[in-house]
Amino acid sequence: MEAARQAIANGDHENIEIYADRLKGELLQPVINGTGIVIHTNLGRSPLKDMQGRDKRFRFSNLEFDLKNGRRGSRDKRVGPLIAGLVGADAAIVVNNGAAAVFLALSALAKGKAVLISRGELVEIGGGFRIPDVCEASGARLVEVGTTNKTRLRDYENAKLQHGAEIVLKVHASNYKMVGFTEQVSIGDLRSLGTDLICDIGSGLLDENAPWLGRERPKWLGSEPGARQALLQGADLITFSGDKLMGGPQAGIIAGKRDLVETCSRHPLYRAMRPGSLVLSALQETVAAYLDNDAQNLPLWKMARAAPEELLERAKALGVGEVVSLKSAIGGGSLPGIELDSYGIALPGDQTTKLRSMNPPIIARMEGANTVIDLRTVDPGDDPHIIDAVGSL
Ligand SMILES: *Cc1c(COP(=O)(O)O)cnc(C)c1O
């Protein structure tokens, strides 16, 4: 579509294929290094054995090399623009994880400035990543707004006047739930404040309607916000993880208005936080799955949408242990409280230590006095290994 747009804009629609090839040439890909320079910075420095898994040859890549003009290129021109297109942003950059994305965005855009955050969103993500601490470390001045359970637009308006704030940070409470007498202000309503609006949406569900899961949005997605919708509703910048509900490798994405994304990419911290060709190529493949309408086959979505009947059949076919109905969780600090019906096998007593000593190790969990293995998260190709391992107990 992008190729078609460019060709039409140039009045050159007969040559769409040339435009498509050019866009393809901008993607990260293996190249043959005939320069004689072994550690070639433009070609991804040290050669990697398994670049994109196509073959087992040593490969360099065009990480920072422009295949069209033969000059130094930029790694920012690879998967970033693809992600931007996917979520409807002007621009996007990739860093090492979601925490880095939030830290970089605040460091680049909010240092020395007052940042308004609802008291209901001063969250700890885990591993010591606490929004107030990140805010302080970035040099931003945190201004708490509202109360733990209720924050209204009026609270933001008052705080903005009082502190001359130019930035609002909205953080998605990915890993816990507030119920009862609660109120938070939507992205759409925050827009009326006229400040820059940064939204840490966390889990990285790219589209809240998850069209790749079929026409009907599964109930278990709850009210998880989508990257596309956060931008449509008026977020100027969003941050999210690559390895939660996006289903890709560990990475952090910053996407949104071009000037804000560029301010982030010019900040010295970006150089310290950018991933290399392994992560970028895995992320590029993940993005390609969404663009090719093949996201339902990403491992995350395949496992999440596996039908209970299918899991029951597999559990029966194992022929070891006792077939039991189970509840799976999405996990990863996303969709708290959501359970998926599942099936697996139960073994009497605690077998978890022995199962962990198998090759490859099998990680099971205890339910009461039984050890259970939930098949939702087991690749069907590993079922024979489960049979052997359980048989050997
Ligand atoms: C998970 C999460 C983060 C941190 O992302 P990592 O990829 O784990 O570093 C930050 N903010 C929110 C809201 C999250 O859910």
Side-chain angles (χ1 to χ4, degrees):
M1 198 150 71
E2 181 61 27
R5 283 201 183 113
Q6 289 181 6
I8 290 166
N10 290 337
D12 196 13
H13 59 273
E14 313 236 302
N15 289 316
I16 284 179
E17 271 178 46
I18 295 176
Y19 288 79
D21 281 344
R22 197 175 297 158
L23 285 174
K24 215 161 109 189
E26 284 169 11
L27 297 183
L28 193 62
Q29 54 198 286
V31 303
I32 293 169
N33 175 9
T35 65
I37 300 164
V38 182
I39 298 177
H40 197 306
T41 293
N42 296 10
L43 305 184
R45 296 205 182 139
S46 280
L48 290 171
K49 200 168 175 187
D50 215 0
M51 177 70 189
Q52 297 189 326
R54 295 236 176 85
D55 53 45
K56 295 288 173 198
R57 271 177 233 154
F58 294 136
R59 281 291 195 221
F60 293 86
S61 71
N62 59 337
L63 182 64
E64 293 195 342
F65 186 73
D66 187 323
L67 288 171
K68 205 165 104 227
N69 63 22
R71 300 214 191 93
R72 180 162 197 154
S74 162
R75 72 181 76 197
D76 305 345
K77 298 238 167 78
R78 311 273 176 241
V79 68
L82 286 187
I83 296 174
L86 204 52
V87 299
D90 300 338
I93 55 171
V94 183
V95 290
N96 283 325
N97 48 47
V102 179
F103 187 48
L104 175 57
L106 288 177
S107 302
L109 303 170
K111 189 174 175 192
K113 295 184 184 165
V115 176
L116 307 184
I117 309 183
S118 161
R119 287 198 167 94
E121 298 173 0
L122 291 173
V123 310
E124 170 171 324
I125 305 302
F129 184 83
R130 298 176 141 189
I131 290 294
D133 298 345
V134 173
C135 221
E136 192 188 319
S138 74
R141 189 159 55 86
L142 170 71
V143 177
E144 297 182 11
V145 177
T147 62
T148 303
N149 55 329
K150 286 236 177 198
T151 305
R152 301 186 178 85
L153 188 59
R154 207 172 51 235
D155 298 322
Y156 284 98
E157 286 165 351
N158 291 341
K160 182 192 164 189
L161 282 178
Q162 196 182 334
H163 296 273
E166 298 154 69
I167 296 177
V168 171
L169 175 65
K170 185 166 177 60
V171 183
H172 174 51
S174 331
N175 53 4
Y176 70 100
K177 238 192 175 121
M178 270 207 290
V179 295
F181 190 60
T182 64
E183 188 174 334
Q184 295 294 328
V185 185
S186 70
I187 294 175
D189 288 342
L190 285 172
R191 206 154 73 149
S192 69
L193 291 168
T195 61
D196 277 344
L197 178 55
I198 304 176
C199 296
D200 178 22
I201 64 162
S203 312
L205 182 64
L206 293 185
D207 184 319
E208 69 187 23
N209 299 316
W212 54 89
L213 295 180
R215 209 163 291 173
E216 225 164 282
R217 182 181 202 271
K219 275 198 206 71
W220 49 263
L221 276 176
S223 53
E224 190 66 24
R228 170 171 284 281
Q229 284 76 18
L231 290 165
L232 274 176
Q233 286 153 19
D236 297 302
L237 203 71
I238 56 172
T239 57
F240 55 93
S241 300
D243 55 354
K244 291 184 186 170
L245 293 176
M246 186 175 175
Q250 181 190 303
I253 319 291
I254 301 177
K257 296 217 166 108
R258 188 172 303 281
D259 56 332
L260 300 182
V261 173
E262 282 177 356
T263 303
C264 293
S265 67
R266 276 196 303 268
H267 192 278
L269 269 178
Y270 173 58
R271 179 68 169 71
M273 292 175 168
R274 59 184 199 179
S277 57
L278 277 180
V279 167
L280 291 175
S281 70
L283 193 62
Q284 183 175 288
E285 284 195 22
T286 308
V287 172
Y290 284 98
L291 289 171
D292 289 342
N293 288 326
D294 194 33
Q296 69 277 12
N297 288 321
L298 286 170
L300 162 73
W301 295 118
K302 249 183 139 149
M303 288 181 175
R305 70 193 177 86
E309 309 81 64
E310 185 188 315
L311 301 171
L312 173 62
E313 284 315 305
R314 277 174 56 202
K316 284 185 187 159
L318 289 181
V320 291
E322 184 200 341
V323 175
V324 283
S325 93
L326 298 166
K327 298 280 182 196
S328 319
I330 297 292
S334 44
L335 303 176
I338 300 283
E339 290 183 327
L340 303 174
D341 289 328
S342 187
Y343 284 93
I345 54 169
L347 310 168
D350 184 351
Q351 310 293 340
T352 54
T353 310
K354 280 187 208 147
L355 288 169
R356 276 202 312 276
S357 70
M358 302 290 170
N359 180 24
I362 296 168
I363 318 301
R365 67 169 206 263
M366 295 299 294
E367 264 197 22
N370 288 334
T371 302
V372 299
I373 300 176
D374 186 330
L375 289 183
R376 176 176 297 282
T377 44
V378 176
D379 187 294
D382 285 328
D383 286 1
H385 176 54
I386 303 268
I387 298 171
D388 291 347
V390 173
S392 75
L393 287 174

